[in-house]
Amino acid sequence: DTEVTQTPKHLVMGMTNKKSLKCEQHMGHRAMYWYKQKAKKPPELMFVYSYEKLSINESVPSRFSPECPNSSLLNLHLHALQPEDSALYLCASSQVTGGSYEQYFGPGTRLTVT
Amino acid sequence: QKEVEQDPGPLSVPEGAIVSLNCTYSNSAFQYFMWYRQYSRKGPELLMYTYSSGNKEDGRFTAQVDKSSKYISLFIRDSQPSDSATYLCAMSADGGTSYGKLTFGQGTILTVHP
């Protein structure tokens, strides 16, 4: 099974709201990723967690706050977002060792900030 | 110049045609190569994963990597209308500060018409 699940599928939030996106995988992967994708563009990396520790932050604004509670779960906490943050937010996971590093993506959460 | 160049198309072919999708890259450190298919408003789906140079076949799909020319290809045989999607190439280097970072091409929009 190569499934990564994400909830919710769609989210509409105001600029003063606080919300969270959730991601889950049961492939035993120890690296998990958050990407942001705007229309007609490739995904842009936001954060990488390796063994539940943040290993890469691509200079993402602090209104996005990632969390990795355990090896299967990844959250993205959202606060005081701007309309330009509206996008498809993708979670992905991969192995860390073993020489096979392909990333598997979830279906995404489509976020609209009003 | 982008690290990964991919012709955005759009590419339109009749059903049953052989489709060739290509990416060139400039970073000789890239060793892991992936092709993803992304349907509109969905997450990217991993199609092919290749390490270093060589060919890999899976059903109607063949991936080729030529590291000497810094050129990768995806061939789709007997194309079907259900293959209509955006195809993204992605690649990563081996470990170090680039661990986990995928560099994507811009994506090629493919339409297969009946």
Side-chain angles (χ1 to χ4, degrees), chain B residues 16-52:
Chain B
I18 295 174
V19 176
S20 172
L21 304 168
N22 312 294
C23 289
T24 59
Y25 62 95
S26 57
N27 187 346
S28 57
F30 288 145
Q31 294 203 59
Y32 302 93
F33 303 93
M34 282 143 272
W35 284 97
Y36 290 89
R37 176 174 64 194
Q38 187 172 24
Y39 293 114
S40 181
R41 305 174 76 84
K42 303 288 187 187
E45 173 193 2
L46 180 66
L47 285 177
M48 301 291 278
Y49 170 75
T50 312
Y51 169 66
S52 195

PDB file of all heavy atoms in Angstrom, chain B residues 16-52:
ATOM      1  N   GLY B  16      -3.807   5.942 -28.993  1.00  0.00           N
ATOM      2  CA  GLY B  16      -2.973   4.905 -29.591  1.00  0.00           C
ATOM      3  C   GLY B  16      -1.576   5.371 -29.969  1.00  0.00           C
ATOM      4  O   GLY B  16      -0.710   4.547 -30.277  1.00  0.00           O
ATOM      5  N   ALA B  17      -1.330   6.668 -29.929  1.00  0.00           N
ATOM      6  CA  ALA B  17      -0.019   7.202 -30.295  1.00  0.00           C
ATOM      7  C   ALA B  17       1.018   6.884 -29.221  1.00  0.00           C
ATOM      8  O   ALA B  17       0.689   6.616 -28.063  1.00  0.00           O
ATOM      9  CB  ALA B  17      -0.106   8.712 -30.502  1.00  0.00           C
ATOM     10  N   ILE B  18       2.297   6.944 -29.636  1.00  0.00           N
ATOM     11  CA  ILE B  18       3.392   6.865 -28.677  1.00  0.00           C
ATOM     12  C   ILE B  18       3.742   8.294 -28.268  1.00  0.00           C
ATOM     13  O   ILE B  18       3.965   9.153 -29.111  1.00  0.00           O
ATOM     14  CB  ILE B  18       4.629   6.184 -29.286  1.00  0.00           C
ATOM     15  CG1 ILE B  18       4.310   4.724 -29.617  1.00  0.00           C
ATOM     16  CG2 ILE B  18       5.818   6.246 -28.322  1.00  0.00           C
ATOM     17  CD1 ILE B  18       5.421   4.003 -30.356  1.00  0.00           C
ATOM     18  N   VAL B  19       3.790   8.520 -26.972  1.00  0.00           N
ATOM     19  CA  VAL B  19       4.085   9.851 -26.441  1.00  0.00           C
ATOM     20  C   VAL B  19       5.489   9.855 -25.868  1.00  0.00           C
ATOM     21  O   VAL B  19       5.898   8.919 -25.175  1.00  0.00           O
ATOM     22  CB  VAL B  19       3.076  10.234 -25.341  1.00  0.00           C
ATOM     23  CG1 VAL B  19       3.434  11.583 -24.710  1.00  0.00           C
ATOM     24  CG2 VAL B  19       1.658  10.271 -25.903  1.00  0.00           C
ATOM     25  N   SER B  20       6.226  10.915 -26.155  1.00  0.00           N
ATOM     26  CA  SER B  20       7.567  11.083 -25.606  1.00  0.00           C
ATOM     27  C   SER B  20       7.619  12.382 -24.816  1.00  0.00           C
ATOM     28  O   SER B  20       7.327  13.458 -25.347  1.00  0.00           O
ATOM     29  CB  SER B  20       8.589  11.124 -26.750  1.00  0.00           C
ATOM     30  OG  SER B  20       9.874  11.463 -26.258  1.00  0.00           O
ATOM     31  N   LEU B  21       7.954  12.275 -23.545  1.00  0.00           N
ATOM     32  CA  LEU B  21       8.078  13.436 -22.663  1.00  0.00           C
ATOM     33  C   LEU B  21       9.526  13.501 -22.192  1.00  0.00           C
ATOM     34  O   LEU B  21      10.137  12.467 -21.903  1.00  0.00           O
ATOM     35  CB  LEU B  21       7.139  13.291 -21.462  1.00  0.00           C
ATOM     36  CG  LEU B  21       5.664  13.075 -21.802  1.00  0.00           C
ATOM     37  CD1 LEU B  21       4.874  12.652 -20.569  1.00  0.00           C
ATOM     38  CD2 LEU B  21       5.063  14.327 -22.393  1.00  0.00           C
ATOM     39  N   ASN B  22      10.059  14.716 -22.101  1.00  0.00           N
ATOM     40  CA  ASN B  22      11.487  14.848 -21.836  1.00  0.00           C
ATOM     41  C   ASN B  22      11.801  15.946 -20.831  1.00  0.00           C
ATOM     42  O   ASN B  22      11.063  16.929 -20.725  1.00  0.00           O
ATOM     43  CB  ASN B  22      12.220  15.188 -23.137  1.00  0.00           C
ATOM     44  CG  ASN B  22      11.822  14.286 -24.268  1.00  0.00           C
ATOM     45  OD1 ASN B  22      12.094  13.098 -24.248  1.00  0.00           O
ATOM     46  ND2 ASN B  22      11.140  14.846 -25.261  1.00  0.00           N
ATOM     47  N   CYS B  23      12.915  15.759 -20.138  1.00  0.00           N
ATOM     48  CA  CYS B  23      13.455  16.801 -19.263  1.00  0.00           C
ATOM     49  C   CYS B  23      14.970  16.831 -19.417  1.00  0.00           C
ATOM     50  O   CYS B  23      15.594  15.776 -19.578  1.00  0.00           O
ATOM     51  CB  CYS B  23      13.116  16.542 -17.792  1.00  0.00           C
ATOM     52  SG  CYS B  23      11.383  16.779 -17.385  1.00  0.00           S
ATOM     53  N   THR B  24      15.527  18.013 -19.358  1.00  0.00           N
ATOM     54  CA  THR B  24      16.972  18.156 -19.279  1.00  0.00           C
ATOM     55  C   THR B  24      17.310  18.833 -17.960  1.00  0.00           C
ATOM     56  O   THR B  24      16.481  19.537 -17.376  1.00  0.00           O
ATOM     57  CB  THR B  24      17.527  19.004 -20.438  1.00  0.00           C
ATOM     58  OG1 THR B  24      16.908  20.297 -20.398  1.00  0.00           O
ATOM     59  CG2 THR B  24      17.247  18.346 -21.770  1.00  0.00           C
ATOM     60  N   TYR B  25      18.510  18.583 -17.490  1.00  0.00           N
ATOM     61  CA  TYR B  25      18.899  19.159 -16.212  1.00  0.00           C
ATOM     62  C   TYR B  25      20.366  19.571 -16.255  1.00  0.00           C
ATOM     63  O   TYR B  25      21.131  19.129 -17.106  1.00  0.00           O
ATOM     64  CB  TYR B  25      18.627  18.184 -15.058  1.00  0.00           C
ATOM     65  CG  TYR B  25      19.398  16.882 -15.125  1.00  0.00           C
ATOM     66  CD1 TYR B  25      20.603  16.733 -14.434  1.00  0.00           C
ATOM     67  CD2 TYR B  25      18.912  15.804 -15.845  1.00  0.00           C
ATOM     68  CE1 TYR B  25      21.307  15.538 -14.470  1.00  0.00           C
ATOM     69  CE2 TYR B  25      19.615  14.607 -15.897  1.00  0.00           C
ATOM     70  CZ  TYR B  25      20.803  14.479 -15.205  1.00  0.00           C
ATOM     71  OH  TYR B  25      21.497  13.296 -15.249  1.00  0.00           O
ATOM     72  N   SER B  26      20.734  20.419 -15.311  1.00  0.00           N
ATOM     73  CA  SER B  26      22.103  20.949 -15.321  1.00  0.00           C
ATOM     74  C   SER B  26      22.934  20.461 -14.124  1.00  0.00           C
ATOM     75  O   SER B  26      24.163  20.502 -14.179  1.00  0.00           O
ATOM     76  CB  SER B  26      22.075  22.483 -15.323  1.00  0.00           C
ATOM     77  OG  SER B  26      21.351  22.973 -14.206  1.00  0.00           O
ATOM     78  N   ASN B  27      22.296  19.984 -13.064  1.00  0.00           N
ATOM     79  CA  ASN B  27      23.008  19.595 -11.850  1.00  0.00           C
ATOM     80  C   ASN B  27      23.482  18.144 -11.949  1.00  0.00           C
ATOM     81  O   ASN B  27      22.682  17.210 -11.880  1.00  0.00           O
ATOM     82  CB  ASN B  27      22.078  19.772 -10.646  1.00  0.00           C
ATOM     83  CG  ASN B  27      22.789  19.550  -9.320  1.00  0.00           C
ATOM     84  OD1 ASN B  27      23.897  19.027  -9.269  1.00  0.00           O
ATOM     85  ND2 ASN B  27      22.139  19.947  -8.245  1.00  0.00           N
ATOM     86  N   SER B  28      24.784  17.941 -12.090  1.00  0.00           N
ATOM     87  CA  SER B  28      25.324  16.593 -12.262  1.00  0.00           C
ATOM     88  C   SER B  28      25.204  15.755 -10.983  1.00  0.00           C
ATOM     89  O   SER B  28      25.460  14.558 -11.003  1.00  0.00           O
ATOM     90  CB  SER B  28      26.783  16.660 -12.715  1.00  0.00           C
ATOM     91  OG  SER B  28      27.548  17.389 -11.782  1.00  0.00           O
ATOM     92  N   ALA B  29      24.816  16.377  -9.870  1.00  0.00           N
ATOM     93  CA  ALA B  29      24.655  15.622  -8.618  1.00  0.00           C
ATOM     94  C   ALA B  29      23.351  14.827  -8.582  1.00  0.00           C
ATOM     95  O   ALA B  29      23.185  13.946  -7.752  1.00  0.00           O
ATOM     96  CB  ALA B  29      24.695  16.575  -7.425  1.00  0.00           C
ATOM     97  N   PHE B  30      22.422  15.122  -9.466  1.00  0.00           N
ATOM     98  CA  PHE B  30      21.142  14.393  -9.470  1.00  0.00           C
ATOM     99  C   PHE B  30      21.382  12.928  -9.797  1.00  0.00           C
ATOM    100  O   PHE B  30      22.066  12.591 -10.762  1.00  0.00           O
ATOM    101  CB  PHE B  30      20.169  14.991 -10.478  1.00  0.00           C
ATOM    102  CG  PHE B  30      19.610  16.322 -10.072  1.00  0.00           C
ATOM    103  CD1 PHE B  30      19.360  17.290 -11.034  1.00  0.00           C
ATOM    104  CD2 PHE B  30      19.324  16.621  -8.756  1.00  0.00           C
ATOM    105  CE1 PHE B  30      18.849  18.528 -10.685  1.00  0.00           C
ATOM    106  CE2 PHE B  30      18.804  17.850  -8.392  1.00  0.00           C
ATOM    107  CZ  PHE B  30      18.574  18.808  -9.359  1.00  0.00           C
ATOM    108  N   GLN B  31      20.813  12.037  -8.966  1.00  0.00           N
ATOM    109  CA  GLN B  31      20.982  10.600  -9.184  1.00  0.00           C
ATOM    110  C   GLN B  31      19.654   9.849  -9.156  1.00  0.00           C
ATOM    111  O   GLN B  31      19.593   8.705  -9.587  1.00  0.00           O
ATOM    112  CB  GLN B  31      21.884  10.015  -8.099  1.00  0.00           C
ATOM    113  CG  GLN B  31      23.305  10.514  -8.153  1.00  0.00           C
ATOM    114  CD  GLN B  31      24.232   9.524  -7.477  1.00  0.00           C
ATOM    115  OE1 GLN B  31      24.319   8.372  -7.854  1.00  0.00           O
ATOM    116  NE2 GLN B  31      24.916  10.002  -6.440  1.00  0.00           N
ATOM    117  N   TYR B  32      18.621  10.470  -8.590  1.00  0.00           N
ATOM    118  CA  TYR B  32      17.329   9.809  -8.444  1.00  0.00           C
ATOM    119  C   TYR B  32      16.324  10.565  -9.306  1.00  0.00           C
ATOM    120  O   TYR B  32      16.181  11.777  -9.181  1.00  0.00           O
ATOM    121  CB  TYR B  32      16.879   9.810  -6.978  1.00  0.00           C
ATOM    122  CG  TYR B  32      17.868   9.130  -6.071  1.00  0.00           C
ATOM    123  CD1 TYR B  32      18.853   9.864  -5.422  1.00  0.00           C
ATOM    124  CD2 TYR B  32      17.840   7.767  -5.888  1.00  0.00           C
ATOM    125  CE1 TYR B  32      19.784   9.245  -4.607  1.00  0.00           C
ATOM    126  CE2 TYR B  32      18.761   7.134  -5.074  1.00  0.00           C
ATOM    127  CZ  TYR B  32      19.733   7.883  -4.439  1.00  0.00           C
ATOM    128  OH  TYR B  32      20.647   7.259  -3.648  1.00  0.00           O
ATOM    129  N   PHE B  33      15.621   9.838 -10.158  1.00  0.00           N
ATOM    130  CA  PHE B  33      14.771  10.466 -11.161  1.00  0.00           C
ATOM    131  C   PHE B  33      13.372   9.869 -11.078  1.00  0.00           C
ATOM    132  O   PHE B  33      13.211   8.648 -11.015  1.00  0.00           O
ATOM    133  CB  PHE B  33      15.359  10.263 -12.560  1.00  0.00           C
ATOM    134  CG  PHE B  33      16.769  10.787 -12.677  1.00  0.00           C
ATOM    135  CD1 PHE B  33      17.845   9.934 -12.450  1.00  0.00           C
ATOM    136  CD2 PHE B  33      17.003  12.109 -12.987  1.00  0.00           C
ATOM    137  CE1 PHE B  33      19.146  10.411 -12.529  1.00  0.00           C
ATOM    138  CE2 PHE B  33      18.295  12.593 -13.070  1.00  0.00           C
ATOM    139  CZ  PHE B  33      19.375  11.747 -12.846  1.00  0.00           C
ATOM    140  N   MET B  34      12.386  10.735 -11.082  1.00  0.00           N
ATOM    141  CA  MET B  34      10.999  10.309 -10.954  1.00  0.00           C
ATOM    142  C   MET B  34      10.131  10.975 -12.005  1.00  0.00           C
ATOM    143  O   MET B  34      10.433  12.093 -12.453  1.00  0.00           O
ATOM    144  CB  MET B  34      10.461  10.712  -9.558  1.00  0.00           C
ATOM    145  CG  MET B  34      10.915   9.809  -8.447  1.00  0.00           C
ATOM    146  SD  MET B  34      11.249  10.684  -6.887  1.00  0.00           S
ATOM    147  CE  MET B  34      12.969  11.146  -7.103  1.00  0.00           C
ATOM    148  N   TRP B  35       9.088  10.283 -12.412  1.00  0.00           N
ATOM    149  CA  TRP B  35       8.027  10.856 -13.225  1.00  0.00           C
ATOM    150  C   TRP B  35       6.722  10.718 -12.452  1.00  0.00           C
ATOM    151  O   TRP B  35       6.408   9.650 -11.921  1.00  0.00           O
ATOM    152  CB  TRP B  35       7.904  10.120 -14.562  1.00  0.00           C
ATOM    153  CG  TRP B  35       8.973  10.486 -15.534  1.00  0.00           C
ATOM    154  CD1 TRP B  35      10.130   9.795 -15.773  1.00  0.00           C
ATOM    155  CD2 TRP B  35       9.001  11.617 -16.405  1.00  0.00           C
ATOM    156  NE1 TRP B  35      10.873  10.435 -16.737  1.00  0.00           N
ATOM    157  CE2 TRP B  35      10.200  11.552 -17.150  1.00  0.00           C
ATOM    158  CE3 TRP B  35       8.123  12.679 -16.644  1.00  0.00           C
ATOM    159  CZ2 TRP B  35      10.539  12.500 -18.093  1.00  0.00           C
ATOM    160  CZ3 TRP B  35       8.462  13.634 -17.590  1.00  0.00           C
ATOM    161  CH2 TRP B  35       9.666  13.537 -18.299  1.00  0.00           C
ATOM    162  N   TYR B  36       5.990  11.825 -12.414  1.00  0.00           N
ATOM    163  CA  TYR B  36       4.696  11.855 -11.758  1.00  0.00           C
ATOM    164  C   TYR B  36       3.626  12.238 -12.778  1.00  0.00           C
ATOM    165  O   TYR B  36       3.872  13.023 -13.695  1.00  0.00           O
ATOM    166  CB  TYR B  36       4.668  12.895 -10.628  1.00  0.00           C
ATOM    167  CG  TYR B  36       5.494  12.538  -9.425  1.00  0.00           C
ATOM    168  CD1 TYR B  36       6.831  12.904  -9.335  1.00  0.00           C
ATOM    169  CD2 TYR B  36       4.939  11.821  -8.361  1.00  0.00           C
ATOM    170  CE1 TYR B  36       7.599  12.570  -8.214  1.00  0.00           C
ATOM    171  CE2 TYR B  36       5.685  11.489  -7.245  1.00  0.00           C
ATOM    172  CZ  TYR B  36       7.011  11.876  -7.184  1.00  0.00           C
ATOM    173  OH  TYR B  36       7.758  11.542  -6.064  1.00  0.00           O
ATOM    174  N   ARG B  37       2.431  11.690 -12.580  1.00  0.00           N
ATOM    175  CA  ARG B  37       1.250  12.080 -13.351  1.00  0.00           C
ATOM    176  C   ARG B  37       0.327  12.800 -12.390  1.00  0.00           C
ATOM    177  O   ARG B  37       0.069  12.325 -11.278  1.00  0.00           O
ATOM    178  CB  ARG B  37       0.569  10.844 -13.929  1.00  0.00           C
ATOM    179  CG  ARG B  37      -0.725  11.115 -14.674  1.00  0.00           C
ATOM    180  CD  ARG B  37      -1.249   9.843 -15.331  1.00  0.00           C
ATOM    181  NE  ARG B  37      -1.595   8.835 -14.348  1.00  0.00           N
ATOM    182  CZ  ARG B  37      -1.819   7.554 -14.659  1.00  0.00           C
ATOM    183  NH1 ARG B  37      -1.711   7.142 -15.910  1.00  0.00           N
ATOM    184  NH2 ARG B  37      -2.160   6.694 -13.725  1.00  0.00           N
ATOM    185  N   GLN B  38      -0.177  13.951 -12.817  1.00  0.00           N
ATOM    186  CA  GLN B  38      -1.085  14.709 -11.960  1.00  0.00           C
ATOM    187  C   GLN B  38      -2.335  15.076 -12.739  1.00  0.00           C
ATOM    188  O   GLN B  38      -2.276  15.827 -13.715  1.00  0.00           O
ATOM    189  CB  GLN B  38      -0.399  15.967 -11.413  1.00  0.00           C
ATOM    190  CG  GLN B  38      -1.256  16.696 -10.375  1.00  0.00           C
ATOM    191  CD  GLN B  38      -0.517  17.823  -9.677  1.00  0.00           C
ATOM    192  OE1 GLN B  38       0.443  18.380 -10.184  1.00  0.00           O
ATOM    193  NE2 GLN B  38      -0.987  18.165  -8.470  1.00  0.00           N
ATOM    194  N   TYR B  39      -3.467  14.535 -12.290  1.00  0.00           N
ATOM    195  CA  TYR B  39      -4.751  14.926 -12.850  1.00  0.00           C
ATOM    196  C   TYR B  39      -5.164  16.249 -12.222  1.00  0.00           C
ATOM    197  O   TYR B  39      -4.725  16.600 -11.122  1.00  0.00           O
ATOM    198  CB  TYR B  39      -5.806  13.853 -12.590  1.00  0.00           C
ATOM    199  CG  TYR B  39      -5.546  12.556 -13.320  1.00  0.00           C
ATOM    200  CD1 TYR B  39      -5.243  11.379 -12.638  1.00  0.00           C
ATOM    201  CD2 TYR B  39      -5.620  12.496 -14.711  1.00  0.00           C
ATOM    202  CE1 TYR B  39      -5.007  10.198 -13.315  1.00  0.00           C
ATOM    203  CE2 TYR B  39      -5.388  11.316 -15.392  1.00  0.00           C
ATOM    204  CZ  TYR B  39      -5.075  10.175 -14.681  1.00  0.00           C
ATOM    205  OH  TYR B  39      -4.843   8.999 -15.356  1.00  0.00           O
ATOM    206  N   SER B  40      -6.062  16.950 -12.927  1.00  0.00           N
ATOM    207  CA  SER B  40      -6.474  18.268 -12.478  1.00  0.00           C
ATOM    208  C   SER B  40      -7.014  18.221 -11.047  1.00  0.00           C
ATOM    209  O   SER B  40      -7.853  17.374 -10.721  1.00  0.00           O
ATOM    210  CB  SER B  40      -7.544  18.806 -13.428  1.00  0.00           C
ATOM    211  OG  SER B  40      -7.943  20.086 -13.046  1.00  0.00           O
ATOM    212  N   ARG B  41      -6.483  19.085 -10.180  1.00  0.00           N
ATOM    213  CA  ARG B  41      -6.943  19.250  -8.804  1.00  0.00           C
ATOM    214  C   ARG B  41      -6.707  18.000  -7.924  1.00  0.00           C
ATOM    215  O   ARG B  41      -7.386  17.808  -6.920  1.00  0.00           O
ATOM    216  CB  ARG B  41      -8.412  19.664  -8.765  1.00  0.00           C
ATOM    217  CG  ARG B  41      -8.678  20.926  -9.580  1.00  0.00           C
ATOM    218  CD  ARG B  41     -10.165  21.245  -9.654  1.00  0.00           C
ATOM    219  NE  ARG B  41     -10.664  21.822  -8.428  1.00  0.00           N
ATOM    220  CZ  ARG B  41     -10.596  23.108  -8.118  1.00  0.00           C
ATOM    221  NH1 ARG B  41     -10.021  23.955  -8.935  1.00  0.00           N
ATOM    222  NH2 ARG B  41     -11.098  23.543  -6.979  1.00  0.00           N
ATOM    223  N   LYS B  42      -5.732  17.157  -8.333  1.00  0.00           N
ATOM    224  CA  LYS B  42      -5.378  15.977  -7.546  1.00  0.00           C
ATOM    225  C   LYS B  42      -3.903  16.037  -7.195  1.00  0.00           C
ATOM    226  O   LYS B  42      -3.147  16.839  -7.735  1.00  0.00           O
ATOM    227  CB  LYS B  42      -5.649  14.688  -8.345  1.00  0.00           C
ATOM    228  CG  LYS B  42      -7.071  14.522  -8.819  1.00  0.00           C
ATOM    229  CD  LYS B  42      -8.011  14.206  -7.680  1.00  0.00           C
ATOM    230  CE  LYS B  42      -9.402  13.882  -8.190  1.00  0.00           C
ATOM    231  NZ  LYS B  42     -10.369  13.729  -7.094  1.00  0.00           N
ATOM    232  N   GLY B  43      -3.466  15.157  -6.291  1.00  0.00           N
ATOM    233  CA  GLY B  43      -2.053  15.073  -5.955  1.00  0.00           C
ATOM    234  C   GLY B  43      -1.265  14.328  -7.020  1.00  0.00           C
ATOM    235  O   GLY B  43      -1.816  13.525  -7.761  1.00  0.00           O
ATOM    236  N   PRO B  44       0.047  14.582  -7.134  1.00  0.00           N
ATOM    237  CA  PRO B  44       0.883  13.850  -8.101  1.00  0.00           C
ATOM    238  C   PRO B  44       0.950  12.360  -7.748  1.00  0.00           C
ATOM    239  O   PRO B  44       1.093  12.003  -6.576  1.00  0.00           O
ATOM    240  CB  PRO B  44       2.263  14.501  -7.951  1.00  0.00           C
ATOM    241  CG  PRO B  44       2.008  15.831  -7.302  1.00  0.00           C
ATOM    242  CD  PRO B  44       0.820  15.618  -6.432  1.00  0.00           C
ATOM    243  N   GLU B  45       0.868  11.537  -8.772  1.00  0.00           N
ATOM    244  CA  GLU B  45       0.925  10.081  -8.634  1.00  0.00           C
ATOM    245  C   GLU B  45       2.252   9.591  -9.206  1.00  0.00           C
ATOM    246  O   GLU B  45       2.581   9.906 -10.359  1.00  0.00           O
ATOM    247  CB  GLU B  45      -0.244   9.461  -9.393  1.00  0.00           C
ATOM    248  CG  GLU B  45      -0.242   7.953  -9.483  1.00  0.00           C
ATOM    249  CD  GLU B  45      -1.242   7.452 -10.514  1.00  0.00           C
ATOM    250  OE1 GLU B  45      -1.906   8.286 -11.170  1.00  0.00           O
ATOM    251  OE2 GLU B  45      -1.352   6.227 -10.679  1.00  0.00           O
ATOM    252  N   LEU B  46       3.017   8.869  -8.409  1.00  0.00           N
ATOM    253  CA  LEU B  46       4.318   8.381  -8.881  1.00  0.00           C
ATOM    254  C   LEU B  46       4.118   7.319  -9.968  1.00  0.00           C
ATOM    255  O   LEU B  46       3.431   6.319  -9.758  1.00  0.00           O
ATOM    256  CB  LEU B  46       5.101   7.781  -7.718  1.00  0.00           C
ATOM    257  CG  LEU B  46       6.484   7.235  -8.057  1.00  0.00           C
ATOM    258  CD1 LEU B  46       7.425   8.365  -8.487  1.00  0.00           C
ATOM    259  CD2 LEU B  46       7.074   6.483  -6.875  1.00  0.00           C
ATOM    260  N   LEU B  47       4.731   7.567 -11.139  1.00  0.00           N
ATOM    261  CA  LEU B  47       4.651   6.602 -12.239  1.00  0.00           C
ATOM    262  C   LEU B  47       5.910   5.745 -12.321  1.00  0.00           C
ATOM    263  O   LEU B  47       5.827   4.531 -12.481  1.00  0.00           O
ATOM    264  CB  LEU B  47       4.481   7.340 -13.574  1.00  0.00           C
ATOM    265  CG  LEU B  47       3.132   7.942 -13.904  1.00  0.00           C
ATOM    266  CD1 LEU B  47       3.224   8.687 -15.225  1.00  0.00           C
ATOM    267  CD2 LEU B  47       2.060   6.865 -13.960  1.00  0.00           C
ATOM    268  N   MET B  48       7.065   6.405 -12.307  1.00  0.00           N
ATOM    269  CA  MET B  48       8.319   5.702 -12.523  1.00  0.00           C
ATOM    270  C   MET B  48       9.396   6.297 -11.616  1.00  0.00           C
ATOM    271  O   MET B  48       9.424   7.501 -11.367  1.00  0.00           O
ATOM    272  CB  MET B  48       8.784   5.820 -13.969  1.00  0.00           C
ATOM    273  CG  MET B  48       7.811   5.282 -15.000  1.00  0.00           C
ATOM    274  SD  MET B  48       7.671   3.495 -14.908  1.00  0.00           S
ATOM    275  CE  MET B  48       9.112   2.998 -15.838  1.00  0.00           C
ATOM    276  N   TYR B  49      10.273   5.431 -11.146  1.00  0.00           N
ATOM    277  CA  TYR B  49      11.397   5.853 -10.298  1.00  0.00           C
ATOM    278  C   TYR B  49      12.641   5.143 -10.802  1.00  0.00           C
ATOM    279  O   TYR B  49      12.636   3.921 -10.960  1.00  0.00           O
ATOM    280  CB  TYR B  49      11.110   5.476  -8.854  1.00  0.00           C
ATOM    281  CG  TYR B  49      12.272   5.645  -7.921  1.00  0.00           C
ATOM    282  CD1 TYR B  49      12.659   6.909  -7.496  1.00  0.00           C
ATOM    283  CD2 TYR B  49      12.980   4.540  -7.444  1.00  0.00           C
ATOM    284  CE1 TYR B  49      13.725   7.071  -6.626  1.00  0.00           C
ATOM    285  CE2 TYR B  49      14.043   4.702  -6.585  1.00  0.00           C
ATOM    286  CZ  TYR B  49      14.406   5.961  -6.171  1.00  0.00           C
ATOM    287  OH  TYR B  49      15.471   6.131  -5.308  1.00  0.00           O
ATOM    288  N   THR B  50      13.694   5.901 -11.067  1.00  0.00           N
ATOM    289  CA  THR B  50      14.926   5.329 -11.606  1.00  0.00           C
ATOM    290  C   THR B  50      16.113   5.881 -10.844  1.00  0.00           C
ATOM    291  O   THR B  50      16.159   7.075 -10.541  1.00  0.00           O
ATOM    292  CB  THR B  50      15.089   5.682 -13.094  1.00  0.00           C
ATOM    293  OG1 THR B  50      13.875   5.431 -13.779  1.00  0.00           O
ATOM    294  CG2 THR B  50      16.195   4.871 -13.730  1.00  0.00           C
ATOM    295  N   TYR B  51      17.051   4.997 -10.539  1.00  0.00           N
ATOM    296  CA  TYR B  51      18.289   5.434  -9.912  1.00  0.00           C
ATOM    297  C   TYR B  51      19.384   5.391 -10.967  1.00  0.00           C
ATOM    298  O   TYR B  51      19.555   4.385 -11.650  1.00  0.00           O
ATOM    299  CB  TYR B  51      18.651   4.540  -8.733  1.00  0.00           C
ATOM    300  CG  TYR B  51      20.048   4.764  -8.214  1.00  0.00           C
ATOM    301  CD1 TYR B  51      20.395   5.967  -7.610  1.00  0.00           C
ATOM    302  CD2 TYR B  51      21.024   3.777  -8.346  1.00  0.00           C
ATOM    303  CE1 TYR B  51      21.669   6.186  -7.141  1.00  0.00           C
ATOM    304  CE2 TYR B  51      22.304   3.989  -7.869  1.00  0.00           C
ATOM    305  CZ  TYR B  51      22.617   5.198  -7.273  1.00  0.00           C
ATOM    306  OH  TYR B  51      23.889   5.418  -6.808  1.00  0.00           O
ATOM    307  N   SER B  52      20.099   6.487 -11.129  1.00  0.00           N
ATOM    308  CA  SER B  52      21.224   6.635 -12.043  1.00  0.00           C
ATOM    309  C   SER B  52      20.778   6.389 -13.495  1.00  0.00           C
ATOM    310  O   SER B  52      19.638   6.568 -13.832  1.00  0.00           O
ATOM    311  CB  SER B  52      22.355   5.697 -11.614  1.00  0.00           C
ATOM    312  OG  SER B  52      23.559   6.063 -12.252  1.00  0.00           O
TER     313      SER B  52
END
